[in-house]
Amino acid sequence: MNLAFIGMAAALGLSAAGSAFGAGFGGMSSVGAWKKCYASGKPAPFIMIAFTGAPLTQTIYGFLLMNFIKSAVDGGADPGLALGVGIFGGLAIGLSAFFQGKCAAAAADALGATGKGTANYFIVIGIAETVALFTLVFSLLLLNS
């Protein structure tokens, strides 16, 4: 068995698992916030859909990392390096999605309660996203060194 294939699977699988957890957290909180809005006769902000979906982009980053690993190994990179980058890169990207979902859940709760602060909430969600982007770029640089 080629270690690079395990790294590729880990990159995608761990990233996608984080996205699933993150979207689940954001979605559950959005539904709860909408319920509170409906119960109190306030309009339910549709923008909470964006909070729920924000962690899904990390699955794309995991897919890109998987492809970067394949290209690097095809170009002669060490399969052990590919394994490590896949596991630790995928884990970092997945954790970014996990905690982005927790930020999104808090944002949905706050927006549902106050109807204010949408831009601020997106900034916080974006900061969590940046961890995944940095991981993707630095992993690519490591694979091409």
Side-chain angles (χ1 to χ4, degrees), residues 30-117:
S30 292
V31 169
W34 283 327
K35 176 185 156 192
K36 288 178 187 176
C37 288
Y38 295 140
S40 65
K42 296 188 313 188
F46 184 75
I47 196 69
M48 289 184 208
I49 292 292
F51 295 158
T52 300
L56 299 178
T57 56
Q58 279 85 335
T59 299
I60 296 168
Y61 304 150
F63 177 75
L64 291 171
L65 181 57
M66 179 185 72
N67 286 319
F68 291 152
I69 292 169
K70 181 174 182 348
S71 295
V73 171
D74 288 346
D78 178 35
L81 174 65
L83 173 65
V85 168
I87 291 172
F88 292 110
L91 180 61
I93 293 170
L95 285 172
S96 170
F98 181 91
F99 285 104
Q100 187 179 46
K102 291 203 159 270
C103 292
D109 181 57
L111 183 62
T114 66
K116 298 178 182 175

Side-chain angles (χ1 to χ4, degrees), residues 39 73 82 92 140 144:
V73 171
L140 175 61
N144 287 322

Side-chain angles (χ1 to χ4, degrees), residues 1-7 9 79 83:
M1 178 183 336
N2 188 337
L3 293 178
F5 290 138
I6 298 170
L83 173 65

